[in-house]
Amino acid sequence: WKLVDLYPSSFGRLRVEKQTKDSVTFSWSFGRYQLRVWHSPFRLEILCEQEVMLNNQGTECTLNFILRATCCAPSGPSSIGADLCLHGFRHVYGLPQHADNLQLRDTRDGEPYRLYNLDVFAYPLYSRLGLYGSVPLMVAHKPDRTLGVFWLNASETFINIQYSDHQVTFVSVLRADPQTDVHWLSESGMIDCMVLLGPSPQQLFAQYAQLTGYQALPPLFALGYHQCRWNYIDEADVKSVDAGFDRHSIPYDVIWLDIEHTDGKRYFTWDPVHFPEPAKLQQHLEKKNRKLVIISDPHIKVDPSWSLYCEARDRGHFVKDREGQIFKGSCWPGESSYLDFSSSATRAWYSRCFGLDKYKGSTPSLFVWNDMNEPSVFSGPELTMPKDAVHCGDWEHRDLHNLYGFYQHMATVEGLITRSGGLERPFVLSRSFFAGSQRLGAVWTGDNVANWEYLKISVPMVLSLSLAGIAFCGADVGGFIQDPEPELLVRWYQAAALQPFFRGHSANVTNRREPWLFGDEVTAAIRTVIQQRYSLLPYWYTLFHQAHTSALPPLRLVLLNFPSFYVGGALLACPVTEPGIQEIKVLLPGSDEIWYDIHSALVYKGGRTLSLPVTLDTVSLDDNFTIPARWLGSLQISRKFPNCNLLSPQGTADGELYLDDGHSFRYRDRKAFCLRRFSMLSGRLLCRPASEEGTFDCNTVIQSVTILGVKSKPSAVIVHASGKEIWH
């Protein structure tokens, strides 16, 4: 972590505005912003144009944590906390991960929001309990300002929220402006709180990214469809599923293997009976430009006859208990020890384990899934590691619990990058995460259930992650646990195709769930939605370029219009999340905007609620963007883009297309990319470079151009290239 200047130099330097014996006032941005600090008792407030935006109600260091009997803090129980008041705000969001509403609820009627990474199987819905990951970022929003509070602490944390208008009282009626009171409480550490002033959502996202990192640009295949199951039985099973997608003309790019692919749950090994030739399996997939992902968890089977375990033990790479002995817990292999990823030496050693010379049977087309890395300890308190376990540097586990999975994710990513000599982009999915995980790869919402309520809750869960900077996220299609009915499965595919990470996954106790096993009608519906996803891959890839460079998330909120959300700036999505629905109502934003149905090209005026019959096509398009799309097919098909221009009432349209080789770091190291801007104005469609940087030669062609919203038939169409007329 590092401190950075979040404001451009044009805002002016921080200067002392006023000083007394009890306080000091700082100002910046030419006096627009002020910070007032009182030292006894300590108090601060932040103002914009003389109006208080945020102040604290007193900062405390209390002794009010109740420790479980299994833990013993050497310095005694302790905690840190702070009360903050957000003036003028009545809506706050963020604090993933919880299976709860998009807007955070007032906690006076129940438990506070908890940030404590845990393995929660079939997690309860509309709960404030902690799940697999934690991002201590809260975002407050009102029409003229977006404000963020980032509480940098990796220990167990509780957040209480009180809205001033939660209950109408005489005092609240007298109070003209709303306010939201927030109480932060962490078990250990120090107060390290950053306030992000925005004022726009885009500026806040950029400020947060400067602190914690920008979203990694994934390899293009990672934005396609992924097929996973716990577990595909053997190599023949994998090849059969792979052939099934071809036979049913359903595009996909990645097939996954869970823990049963290993030799006795020993990671970095292969079952010698069921996966005797893993390299040949990967080569079979790679001939079709498809990839294989395998699971790699943080627990290591205690086995003195296994060289990897002995190497980790002898080099001191395991977490220790409070007595100084190697900590042992139980997980999938049985008795296990846990790698201490807080140690840079351990991370470097683990990274080297992914080398092609060490990981026998691996090839460059093998990628990785980090699971159970909260960490999950079946024999531990709340199925996790005891808080008094000891890490490198004598840090107790309580101090860095929420960082454990983040550090494994980091080491795995570095391992794949090193494997390629620093040339190729990695793909690593992690179940556990923390602030900054976006710069490493993808996450998902964990062990969900095959019912309609879990489909519905997946939308706010993914949007909350996007709001907190983790753009590459999604929920398992169909639910990990139990068996979905056909209608639920189709609706889930429709919703998940509009989320960044798109994976079908199911547990070993469920029925097989490949898309063609539910009859011709369901197969056709799933085929259509996956093909639609592939047709929009150039658009998705461009959105991830924006996230990577400017921190704009691909999924964007339509506040006061939930469950609708934007995919980028051009697609309005409203997924169907209830059974038997024959019609949905969608509020089209913007009374001065025009909307087009993505399939029928029917035009609708914004600023009204539209009733639409429910079909497989439930996405509308914004009015003033250019959408790059690709004809249906898998990634091995050459790029041929139809270009769709959607005219605004003023007859204009605008959009971008980003291209690179889709897999390497050449876009970064050698500026090997192409960023083109498409603009429609006064009857002319222009395609020009959108950046002075970037040179990229490719076989991409624009195959056709569709312009919607033309009020009269053109008398002629003329095409110019390099200043010369080439078609009339």
Side-chain angles (χ1 to χ4, degrees), residues 497-498 528-529 531-533 535-536 539-540 567 570-573 588 595-604 610 612 615-622 627-629 631 644 646 706 708:
L498 298 168
T528 296
V529 74
Q531 287 179 339
Q532 178 177 299
R533 167 69 171 222
S535 73
L536 290 172
Y539 181 59
W540 277 106
V567 180
L571 294 175
L572 177 66
L588 300 179
W595 293 82
Y596 299 89
D597 186 275
I598 194 172
H599 295 299
S600 68
L602 293 175
V603 60
Y604 304 99
L610 184 68
L612 292 173
T615 66
L616 295 179
D617 309 322
T618 57
V619 180
S620 300
L621 294 182
D622 204 348
I627 307 297
W631 291 125
C644 184
L646 314 176
T706 302
L708 304 181

mmCIF file of all heavy atoms in Angstrom, residues 497-498 528-529 531-533 535-536 539-540 567 570-573 588 595-604 610 612 615-622 627-629 631 644 646 706 708:
data_model
loop_
_atom_site.group_PDB
_atom_site.id
_atom_site.type_symbol
_atom_site.label_atom_id
_atom_site.label_comp_id
_atom_site.label_asym_id
_atom_site.label_seq_id
_atom_site.Cartn_x
_atom_site.Cartn_y
_atom_site.Cartn_z
ATOM 1 N N ALA A 497 -25.312 -14.282 -18.254
ATOM 2 C CA ALA A 497 -24.661 -13.817 -19.483
ATOM 3 C C ALA A 497 -24.477 -12.308 -19.474
ATOM 4 O O ALA A 497 -23.713 -11.776 -20.284
ATOM 5 C CB ALA A 497 -25.477 -14.237 -20.699
ATOM 6 N N LEU A 498 -25.156 -11.617 -18.565
ATOM 7 C CA LEU A 498 -25.027 -10.171 -18.430
ATOM 8 C C LEU A 498 -24.130 -9.805 -17.259
ATOM 9 O O LEU A 498 -24.107 -8.651 -16.827
ATOM 10 C CB LEU A 498 -26.418 -9.546 -18.246
ATOM 11 C CG LEU A 498 -27.361 -9.752 -19.433
ATOM 12 C CD1 LEU A 498 -28.781 -9.365 -19.058
ATOM 13 C CD2 LEU A 498 -26.884 -8.952 -20.630
ATOM 14 N N THR A 528 -28.935 -19.834 -27.487
ATOM 15 C CA THR A 528 -29.166 -18.454 -27.919
ATOM 16 C C THR A 528 -28.501 -17.458 -26.989
ATOM 17 O O THR A 528 -27.847 -16.503 -27.432
ATOM 18 C CB THR A 528 -30.675 -18.177 -27.997
ATOM 19 O OG1 THR A 528 -31.255 -19.017 -28.996
ATOM 20 C CG2 THR A 528 -30.942 -16.727 -28.350
ATOM 21 N N VAL A 529 -28.638 -17.668 -25.681
ATOM 22 C CA VAL A 529 -28.102 -16.680 -24.743
ATOM 23 C C VAL A 529 -26.575 -16.735 -24.708
ATOM 24 O O VAL A 529 -25.905 -15.694 -24.606
ATOM 25 C CB VAL A 529 -28.718 -16.869 -23.344
ATOM 26 C CG1 VAL A 529 -28.172 -18.088 -22.629
ATOM 27 C CG2 VAL A 529 -28.499 -15.625 -22.498
ATOM 28 N N GLN A 531 -24.678 -17.656 -27.282
ATOM 29 C CA GLN A 531 -24.259 -17.045 -28.538
ATOM 30 C C GLN A 531 -24.363 -15.524 -28.471
ATOM 31 O O GLN A 531 -23.513 -14.809 -29.018
ATOM 32 C CB GLN A 531 -25.108 -17.603 -29.679
ATOM 33 C CG GLN A 531 -24.771 -19.042 -30.043
ATOM 34 C CD GLN A 531 -25.640 -19.583 -31.149
ATOM 35 O OE1 GLN A 531 -26.735 -19.081 -31.405
ATOM 36 N NE2 GLN A 531 -25.173 -20.628 -31.817
ATOM 37 N N GLN A 532 -25.394 -15.028 -27.803
ATOM 38 C CA GLN A 532 -25.512 -13.579 -27.641
ATOM 39 C C GLN A 532 -24.339 -13.036 -26.843
ATOM 40 O O GLN A 532 -23.798 -11.966 -27.151
ATOM 41 C CB GLN A 532 -26.822 -13.227 -26.939
ATOM 42 C CG GLN A 532 -26.999 -11.738 -26.680
ATOM 43 C CD GLN A 532 -28.337 -11.429 -26.041
ATOM 44 O OE1 GLN A 532 -29.390 -11.693 -26.608
ATOM 45 N NE2 GLN A 532 -28.300 -10.885 -24.837
ATOM 46 N N ARG A 533 -23.933 -13.771 -25.813
ATOM 47 C CA ARG A 533 -22.757 -13.345 -25.039
ATOM 48 C C ARG A 533 -21.541 -13.239 -25.954
ATOM 49 O O ARG A 533 -20.790 -12.251 -25.900
ATOM 50 C CB ARG A 533 -22.498 -14.342 -23.914
ATOM 51 C CG ARG A 533 -21.154 -14.221 -23.206
ATOM 52 C CD ARG A 533 -21.052 -12.960 -22.366
ATOM 53 N NE ARG A 533 -19.837 -12.985 -21.533
ATOM 54 C CZ ARG A 533 -19.782 -12.596 -20.282
ATOM 55 N NH1 ARG A 533 -20.875 -12.126 -19.695
ATOM 56 N NH2 ARG A 533 -18.655 -12.650 -19.603
ATOM 57 N N SER A 535 -21.474 -12.822 -29.175
ATOM 58 C CA SER A 535 -21.612 -11.748 -30.161
ATOM 59 C C SER A 535 -21.231 -10.398 -29.576
ATOM 60 O O SER A 535 -20.847 -9.483 -30.309
ATOM 61 C CB SER A 535 -23.050 -11.705 -30.696
ATOM 62 O OG SER A 535 -23.944 -11.192 -29.718
ATOM 63 N N LEU A 536 -21.312 -10.264 -28.243
ATOM 64 C CA LEU A 536 -20.982 -9.004 -27.582
ATOM 65 C C LEU A 536 -19.589 -9.005 -26.954
ATOM 66 O O LEU A 536 -19.240 -8.069 -26.226
ATOM 67 C CB LEU A 536 -22.035 -8.692 -26.500
ATOM 68 C CG LEU A 536 -23.423 -8.308 -27.017
ATOM 69 C CD1 LEU A 536 -24.404 -8.210 -25.864
ATOM 70 C CD2 LEU A 536 -23.373 -6.993 -27.784
ATOM 71 N N TYR A 539 -17.560 -5.856 -27.184
ATOM 72 C CA TYR A 539 -18.076 -4.826 -26.279
ATOM 73 C C TYR A 539 -17.591 -5.085 -24.850
ATOM 74 O O TYR A 539 -17.087 -4.176 -24.172
ATOM 75 C CB TYR A 539 -19.602 -4.824 -26.350
ATOM 76 C CG TYR A 539 -20.281 -3.784 -25.493
ATOM 77 C CD1 TYR A 539 -20.031 -2.430 -25.667
ATOM 78 C CD2 TYR A 539 -21.207 -4.165 -24.527
ATOM 79 C CE1 TYR A 539 -20.670 -1.481 -24.890
ATOM 80 C CE2 TYR A 539 -21.858 -3.224 -23.745
ATOM 81 C CZ TYR A 539 -21.581 -1.881 -23.923
ATOM 82 O OH TYR A 539 -22.214 -0.941 -23.148
ATOM 83 N N TRP A 540 -17.706 -6.337 -24.379
ATOM 84 C CA TRP A 540 -17.224 -6.683 -23.040
ATOM 85 C C TRP A 540 -15.732 -6.388 -22.909
ATOM 86 O O TRP A 540 -15.274 -5.850 -21.880
ATOM 87 C CB TRP A 540 -17.484 -8.158 -22.743
ATOM 88 C CG TRP A 540 -18.864 -8.479 -22.261
ATOM 89 C CD1 TRP A 540 -19.861 -9.081 -22.955
ATOM 90 C CD2 TRP A 540 -19.392 -8.212 -20.954
ATOM 91 N NE1 TRP A 540 -20.990 -9.214 -22.164
ATOM 92 C CE2 TRP A 540 -20.720 -8.691 -20.938
ATOM 93 C CE3 TRP A 540 -18.877 -7.631 -19.804
ATOM 94 C CZ2 TRP A 540 -21.533 -8.596 -19.801
ATOM 95 C CZ3 TRP A 540 -19.683 -7.529 -18.675
ATOM 96 C CH2 TRP A 540 -20.989 -8.014 -18.687
ATOM 97 N N VAL A 567 -24.948 -2.461 -18.516
ATOM 98 C CA VAL A 567 -23.719 -3.123 -18.927
ATOM 99 C C VAL A 567 -22.980 -2.106 -19.778
ATOM 100 O O VAL A 567 -23.352 -1.846 -20.921
ATOM 101 C CB VAL A 567 -23.991 -4.419 -19.709
ATOM 102 C CG1 VAL A 567 -22.672 -5.065 -20.121
ATOM 103 C CG2 VAL A 567 -24.828 -5.386 -18.882
ATOM 104 N N ALA A 570 -24.128 1.464 -22.630
ATOM 105 C CA ALA A 570 -25.035 1.321 -23.761
ATOM 106 C C ALA A 570 -26.128 0.291 -23.575
ATOM 107 O O ALA A 570 -27.139 0.370 -24.256
ATOM 108 C CB ALA A 570 -24.234 0.962 -25.015
ATOM 109 N N LEU A 571 -25.951 -0.681 -22.696
ATOM 110 C CA LEU A 571 -26.940 -1.739 -22.536
ATOM 111 C C LEU A 571 -27.653 -1.599 -21.199
ATOM 112 O O LEU A 571 -27.005 -1.484 -20.155
ATOM 113 C CB LEU A 571 -26.279 -3.120 -22.603
ATOM 114 C CG LEU A 571 -25.652 -3.534 -23.926
ATOM 115 C CD1 LEU A 571 -24.946 -4.867 -23.765
ATOM 116 C CD2 LEU A 571 -26.710 -3.635 -25.000
ATOM 117 N N LEU A 572 -28.961 -1.596 -21.226
ATOM 118 C CA LEU A 572 -29.770 -1.624 -20.015
ATOM 119 C C LEU A 572 -30.313 -3.035 -19.850
ATOM 120 O O LEU A 572 -30.998 -3.554 -20.729
ATOM 121 C CB LEU A 572 -30.918 -0.622 -20.096
ATOM 122 C CG LEU A 572 -31.878 -0.618 -18.893
ATOM 123 C CD1 LEU A 572 -31.150 -0.140 -17.638
ATOM 124 C CD2 LEU A 572 -33.090 0.269 -19.182
ATOM 125 N N ALA A 573 -29.997 -3.663 -18.734
ATOM 126 C CA ALA A 573 -30.395 -5.044 -18.491
ATOM 127 C C ALA A 573 -31.408 -5.104 -17.368
ATOM 128 O O ALA A 573 -31.284 -4.403 -16.362
ATOM 129 C CB ALA A 573 -29.174 -5.887 -18.124
ATOM 130 N N LEU A 588 -37.377 3.155 -18.289
ATOM 131 C CA LEU A 588 -36.331 3.606 -19.205
ATOM 132 C C LEU A 588 -35.837 4.978 -18.751
ATOM 133 O O LEU A 588 -36.598 5.950 -18.758
ATOM 134 C CB LEU A 588 -36.867 3.691 -20.633
ATOM 135 C CG LEU A 588 -37.404 2.382 -21.217
ATOM 136 C CD1 LEU A 588 -37.919 2.621 -22.636
ATOM 137 C CD2 LEU A 588 -36.334 1.297 -21.207
ATOM 138 N N TRP A 595 -34.471 4.653 -26.742
ATOM 139 C CA TRP A 595 -34.027 3.289 -26.475
ATOM 140 C C TRP A 595 -34.448 2.374 -27.608
ATOM 141 O O TRP A 595 -35.503 2.557 -28.205
ATOM 142 C CB TRP A 595 -34.621 2.775 -25.162
ATOM 143 C CG TRP A 595 -34.105 3.504 -23.967
ATOM 144 C CD1 TRP A 595 -34.537 4.700 -23.485
ATOM 145 C CD2 TRP A 595 -33.040 3.097 -23.117
ATOM 146 N NE1 TRP A 595 -33.815 5.078 -22.396
ATOM 147 C CE2 TRP A 595 -32.884 4.100 -22.144
ATOM 148 C CE3 TRP A 595 -32.207 1.987 -23.090
ATOM 149 C CZ2 TRP A 595 -31.920 4.020 -21.142
ATOM 150 C CZ3 TRP A 595 -31.255 1.907 -22.089
ATOM 151 C CH2 TRP A 595 -31.114 2.911 -21.132
ATOM 152 N N TYR A 596 -33.605 1.375 -27.885
ATOM 153 C CA TYR A 596 -33.891 0.408 -28.943
ATOM 154 C C TYR A 596 -33.860 -0.996 -28.350
ATOM 155 O O TYR A 596 -32.979 -1.336 -27.560
ATOM 156 C CB TYR A 596 -32.838 0.485 -30.057
ATOM 157 C CG TYR A 596 -32.763 1.824 -30.746
ATOM 158 C CD1 TYR A 596 -31.936 2.826 -30.266
ATOM 159 C CD2 TYR A 596 -33.512 2.081 -31.895
ATOM 160 C CE1 TYR A 596 -31.852 4.054 -30.887
ATOM 161 C CE2 TYR A 596 -33.427 3.301 -32.532
ATOM 162 C CZ TYR A 596 -32.603 4.286 -32.026
ATOM 163 O OH TYR A 596 -32.520 5.498 -32.658
ATOM 164 N N ASP A 597 -34.808 -1.820 -28.752
ATOM 165 C CA ASP A 597 -34.760 -3.226 -28.390
ATOM 166 C C ASP A 597 -33.604 -3.895 -29.133
ATOM 167 O O ASP A 597 -33.427 -3.694 -30.340
ATOM 168 C CB ASP A 597 -36.078 -3.908 -28.744
ATOM 169 C CG ASP A 597 -36.130 -5.341 -28.264
ATOM 170 O OD1 ASP A 597 -35.627 -6.216 -28.989
ATOM 171 O OD2 ASP A 597 -36.658 -5.586 -27.168
ATOM 172 N N ILE A 598 -32.819 -4.708 -28.431
ATOM 173 C CA ILE A 598 -31.597 -5.242 -29.010
ATOM 174 C C ILE A 598 -31.854 -6.178 -30.186
ATOM 175 O O ILE A 598 -31.012 -6.343 -31.058
ATOM 176 C CB ILE A 598 -30.755 -5.964 -27.928
ATOM 177 C CG1 ILE A 598 -29.337 -6.218 -28.433
ATOM 178 C CG2 ILE A 598 -31.423 -7.228 -27.462
ATOM 179 C CD1 ILE A 598 -28.399 -6.732 -27.376
ATOM 180 N N HIS A 599 -33.027 -6.816 -30.236
ATOM 181 C CA HIS A 599 -33.308 -7.775 -31.305
ATOM 182 C C HIS A 599 -34.284 -7.242 -32.342
ATOM 183 O O HIS A 599 -34.055 -7.359 -33.531
ATOM 184 C CB HIS A 599 -33.853 -9.073 -30.709
ATOM 185 C CG HIS A 599 -32.858 -9.785 -29.842
ATOM 186 N ND1 HIS A 599 -31.655 -10.240 -30.310
ATOM 187 C CD2 HIS A 599 -32.902 -10.102 -28.526
ATOM 188 C CE1 HIS A 599 -30.984 -10.819 -29.321
ATOM 189 N NE2 HIS A 599 -31.715 -10.743 -28.231
ATOM 190 N N SER A 600 -35.376 -6.630 -31.866
ATOM 191 C CA SER A 600 -36.406 -6.195 -32.808
ATOM 192 C C SER A 600 -36.112 -4.837 -33.416
ATOM 193 O O SER A 600 -36.707 -4.470 -34.426
ATOM 194 C CB SER A 600 -37.766 -6.137 -32.105
ATOM 195 O OG SER A 600 -37.792 -5.085 -31.139
ATOM 196 N N ALA A 601 -35.207 -4.054 -32.777
ATOM 197 C CA ALA A 601 -34.876 -2.689 -33.201
ATOM 198 C C ALA A 601 -36.046 -1.729 -33.018
ATOM 199 O O ALA A 601 -36.012 -0.611 -33.530
ATOM 200 C CB ALA A 601 -34.390 -2.648 -34.648
ATOM 201 N N LEU A 602 -37.081 -2.148 -32.270
ATOM 202 C CA LEU A 602 -38.163 -1.227 -31.959
ATOM 203 C C LEU A 602 -37.635 -0.082 -31.107
ATOM 204 O O LEU A 602 -36.744 -0.266 -30.274
ATOM 205 C CB LEU A 602 -39.289 -1.957 -31.223
ATOM 206 C CG LEU A 602 -40.063 -3.003 -32.036
ATOM 207 C CD1 LEU A 602 -41.070 -3.738 -31.148
ATOM 208 C CD2 LEU A 602 -40.782 -2.342 -33.204
ATOM 209 N N VAL A 603 -38.185 1.098 -31.307
ATOM 210 C CA VAL A 603 -37.695 2.290 -30.637
ATOM 211 C C VAL A 603 -38.675 2.710 -29.547
ATOM 212 O O VAL A 603 -39.894 2.622 -29.704
ATOM 213 C CB VAL A 603 -37.477 3.433 -31.649
ATOM 214 C CG1 VAL A 603 -38.780 3.792 -32.366
ATOM 215 C CG2 VAL A 603 -36.875 4.653 -30.969
ATOM 216 N N TYR A 604 -38.119 3.164 -28.403
ATOM 217 C CA TYR A 604 -38.930 3.602 -27.271
ATOM 218 C C TYR A 604 -38.345 4.895 -26.721
ATOM 219 O O TYR A 604 -37.130 5.072 -26.659
ATOM 220 C CB TYR A 604 -38.945 2.551 -26.161
ATOM 221 C CG TYR A 604 -39.418 1.193 -26.593
ATOM 222 C CD1 TYR A 604 -38.504 0.189 -26.902
ATOM 223 C CD2 TYR A 604 -40.772 0.899 -26.699
ATOM 224 C CE1 TYR A 604 -38.925 -1.063 -27.294
ATOM 225 C CE2 TYR A 604 -41.212 -0.357 -27.090
ATOM 226 C CZ TYR A 604 -40.281 -1.336 -27.387
ATOM 227 O OH TYR A 604 -40.703 -2.579 -27.778
ATOM 228 N N LEU A 610 -41.946 0.895 -19.261
ATOM 229 C CA LEU A 610 -42.323 0.119 -20.434
ATOM 230 C C LEU A 610 -42.688 -1.302 -20.010
ATOM 231 O O LEU A 610 -41.979 -1.926 -19.227
ATOM 232 C CB LEU A 610 -41.149 0.085 -21.411
ATOM 233 C CG LEU A 610 -41.366 -0.603 -22.758
ATOM 234 C CD1 LEU A 610 -42.347 0.186 -23.607
ATOM 235 C CD2 LEU A 610 -40.019 -0.738 -23.480
ATOM 236 N N LEU A 612 -42.958 -5.051 -21.201
ATOM 237 C CA LEU A 612 -42.417 -5.877 -22.267
ATOM 238 C C LEU A 612 -42.785 -7.334 -22.038
ATOM 239 O O LEU A 612 -42.710 -7.826 -20.904
ATOM 240 C CB LEU A 612 -40.889 -5.766 -22.324
ATOM 241 C CG LEU A 612 -40.293 -4.432 -22.759
ATOM 242 C CD1 LEU A 612 -38.786 -4.462 -22.581
ATOM 243 C CD2 LEU A 612 -40.647 -4.134 -24.206
ATOM 244 N N THR A 615 -39.388 -12.744 -23.107
ATOM 245 C CA THR A 615 -38.833 -13.741 -24.010
ATOM 246 C C THR A 615 -37.383 -13.932 -23.598
ATOM 247 O O THR A 615 -36.972 -13.490 -22.515
ATOM 248 C CB THR A 615 -38.907 -13.267 -25.475
ATOM 249 O OG1 THR A 615 -38.048 -12.129 -25.624
ATOM 250 C CG2 THR A 615 -40.329 -12.882 -25.840
ATOM 251 N N LEU A 616 -36.599 -14.555 -24.445
ATOM 252 C CA LEU A 616 -35.178 -14.660 -24.159
ATOM 253 C C LEU A 616 -34.460 -13.336 -24.347
ATOM 254 O O LEU A 616 -33.314 -13.179 -23.931
ATOM 255 C CB LEU A 616 -34.528 -15.710 -25.082
ATOM 256 C CG LEU A 616 -34.997 -17.149 -24.875
ATOM 257 C CD1 LEU A 616 -34.300 -18.068 -25.860
ATOM 258 C CD2 LEU A 616 -34.751 -17.606 -23.454
ATOM 259 N N ASP A 617 -35.100 -12.374 -24.979
ATOM 260 C CA ASP A 617 -34.461 -11.092 -25.299
ATOM 261 C C ASP A 617 -34.998 -10.042 -24.340
ATOM 262 O O ASP A 617 -36.082 -9.494 -24.554
ATOM 263 C CB ASP A 617 -34.750 -10.685 -26.737
ATOM 264 C CG ASP A 617 -34.442 -11.809 -27.705
ATOM 265 O OD1 ASP A 617 -33.443 -12.506 -27.471
ATOM 266 O OD2 ASP A 617 -35.211 -12.005 -28.661
ATOM 267 N N THR A 618 -34.233 -9.763 -23.287
ATOM 268 C CA THR A 618 -34.712 -8.840 -22.262
ATOM 269 C C THR A 618 -33.765 -7.672 -22.060
ATOM 270 O O THR A 618 -33.723 -7.080 -21.007
ATOM 271 C CB THR A 618 -34.885 -9.587 -20.926
ATOM 272 O OG1 THR A 618 -33.634 -10.179 -20.563
ATOM 273 C CG2 THR A 618 -35.943 -10.649 -21.028
ATOM 274 N N VAL A 619 -32.969 -7.324 -23.096
ATOM 275 C CA VAL A 619 -31.992 -6.249 -22.975
ATOM 276 C C VAL A 619 -32.354 -5.130 -23.928
ATOM 277 O O VAL A 619 -32.658 -5.370 -25.090
ATOM 278 C CB VAL A 619 -30.569 -6.756 -23.291
ATOM 279 C CG1 VAL A 619 -29.562 -5.626 -23.170
ATOM 280 C CG2 VAL A 619 -30.199 -7.883 -22.337
ATOM 281 N N SER A 620 -32.336 -3.892 -23.428
ATOM 282 C CA SER A 620 -32.560 -2.724 -24.277
ATOM 283 C C SER A 620 -31.247 -1.978 -24.462
ATOM 284 O O SER A 620 -30.317 -2.122 -23.676
ATOM 285 C CB SER A 620 -33.602 -1.793 -23.644
ATOM 286 O OG SER A 620 -34.831 -2.469 -23.477
ATOM 287 N N LEU A 621 -31.189 -1.141 -25.499
ATOM 288 C CA LEU A 621 -29.961 -0.406 -25.810
ATOM 289 C C LEU A 621 -30.164 1.082 -25.621
ATOM 290 O O LEU A 621 -31.214 1.625 -25.953
ATOM 291 C CB LEU A 621 -29.543 -0.667 -27.262
ATOM 292 C CG LEU A 621 -29.118 -2.092 -27.604
ATOM 293 C CD1 LEU A 621 -28.699 -2.148 -29.054
ATOM 294 C CD2 LEU A 621 -28.000 -2.555 -26.710
ATOM 295 N N ASP A 622 -29.121 1.734 -25.097
ATOM 296 C CA ASP A 622 -29.133 3.182 -24.936
ATOM 297 C C ASP A 622 -29.104 3.870 -26.299
ATOM 298 O O ASP A 622 -28.861 3.237 -27.317
ATOM 299 C CB ASP A 622 -27.930 3.596 -24.090
ATOM 300 C CG ASP A 622 -28.158 4.921 -23.401
ATOM 301 O OD1 ASP A 622 -29.126 5.602 -23.750
ATOM 302 O OD2 ASP A 622 -27.356 5.267 -22.517
ATOM 303 N N ILE A 627 -22.145 0.208 -30.739
ATOM 304 C CA ILE A 627 -21.911 -1.092 -30.125
ATOM 305 C C ILE A 627 -21.128 -1.969 -31.088
ATOM 306 O O ILE A 627 -21.645 -2.363 -32.139
ATOM 307 C CB ILE A 627 -23.244 -1.801 -29.783
ATOM 308 C CG1 ILE A 627 -24.129 -0.893 -28.940
ATOM 309 C CG2 ILE A 627 -22.971 -3.111 -29.072
ATOM 310 C CD1 ILE A 627 -23.541 -0.536 -27.618
ATOM 311 N N PRO A 628 -19.868 -2.293 -30.769
ATOM 312 C CA PRO A 628 -19.168 -3.283 -31.582
ATOM 313 C C PRO A 628 -19.616 -4.680 -31.189
ATOM 314 O O PRO A 628 -19.709 -5.005 -30.013
ATOM 315 C CB PRO A 628 -17.697 -3.054 -31.225
ATOM 316 C CG PRO A 628 -17.732 -2.529 -29.830
ATOM 317 C CD PRO A 628 -19.029 -1.769 -29.689
ATOM 318 N N ALA A 629 -19.910 -5.495 -32.140
ATOM 319 C CA ALA A 629 -20.351 -6.866 -31.863
ATOM 320 C C ALA A 629 -19.615 -7.808 -32.791
ATOM 321 O O ALA A 629 -18.942 -7.398 -33.733
ATOM 322 C CB ALA A 629 -21.867 -6.992 -32.052
ATOM 323 N N TRP A 631 -20.033 -11.643 -34.962
ATOM 324 C CA TRP A 631 -20.925 -12.716 -35.357
ATOM 325 C C TRP A 631 -20.687 -13.934 -34.483
ATOM 326 O O TRP A 631 -19.614 -14.150 -33.942
ATOM 327 C CB TRP A 631 -20.729 -13.076 -36.827
ATOM 328 C CG TRP A 631 -21.198 -12.019 -37.773
ATOM 329 C CD1 TRP A 631 -20.463 -11.433 -38.754
ATOM 330 C CD2 TRP A 631 -22.480 -11.410 -37.828
ATOM 331 N NE1 TRP A 631 -21.212 -10.495 -39.428
ATOM 332 C CE2 TRP A 631 -22.459 -10.462 -38.879
ATOM 333 C CE3 TRP A 631 -23.655 -11.553 -37.088
ATOM 334 C CZ2 TRP A 631 -23.558 -9.672 -39.203
ATOM 335 C CZ3 TRP A 631 -24.749 -10.767 -37.416
ATOM 336 C CH2 TRP A 631 -24.697 -9.849 -38.466
ATOM 337 N N CYS A 644 -23.008 -1.602 -34.909
ATOM 338 C CA CYS A 644 -24.386 -1.125 -34.738
ATOM 339 C C CYS A 644 -24.361 0.286 -34.180
ATOM 340 O O CYS A 644 -23.831 0.519 -33.094
ATOM 341 C CB CYS A 644 -25.133 -2.063 -33.787
ATOM 342 S SG CYS A 644 -26.866 -1.640 -33.577
ATOM 343 N N LEU A 646 -26.559 3.519 -32.899
ATOM 344 C CA LEU A 646 -27.881 3.844 -32.392
ATOM 345 C C LEU A 646 -27.985 5.353 -32.261
ATOM 346 O O LEU A 646 -27.326 5.961 -31.419
ATOM 347 C CB LEU A 646 -28.101 3.167 -31.030
ATOM 348 C CG LEU A 646 -27.670 1.690 -30.987
ATOM 349 C CD1 LEU A 646 -27.832 1.138 -29.598
ATOM 350 C CD2 LEU A 646 -28.467 0.891 -31.979
ATOM 351 N N THR A 706 -24.976 -1.324 -39.187
ATOM 352 C CA THR A 706 -26.422 -1.153 -39.028
ATOM 353 C C THR A 706 -26.664 0.154 -38.298
ATOM 354 O O THR A 706 -26.131 0.367 -37.204
ATOM 355 C CB THR A 706 -27.031 -2.318 -38.228
ATOM 356 O OG1 THR A 706 -26.746 -3.550 -38.886
ATOM 357 C CG2 THR A 706 -28.533 -2.146 -38.095
ATOM 358 N N LEU A 708 -29.540 2.523 -36.694
ATOM 359 C CA LEU A 708 -30.923 2.617 -36.246
ATOM 360 C C LEU A 708 -31.264 4.069 -35.944
ATOM 361 O O LEU A 708 -30.445 4.810 -35.409
ATOM 362 C CB LEU A 708 -31.138 1.766 -34.986
ATOM 363 C CG LEU A 708 -30.768 0.283 -35.096
ATOM 364 C CD1 LEU A 708 -31.057 -0.420 -33.780
ATOM 365 C CD2 LEU A 708 -31.517 -0.377 -36.229
#
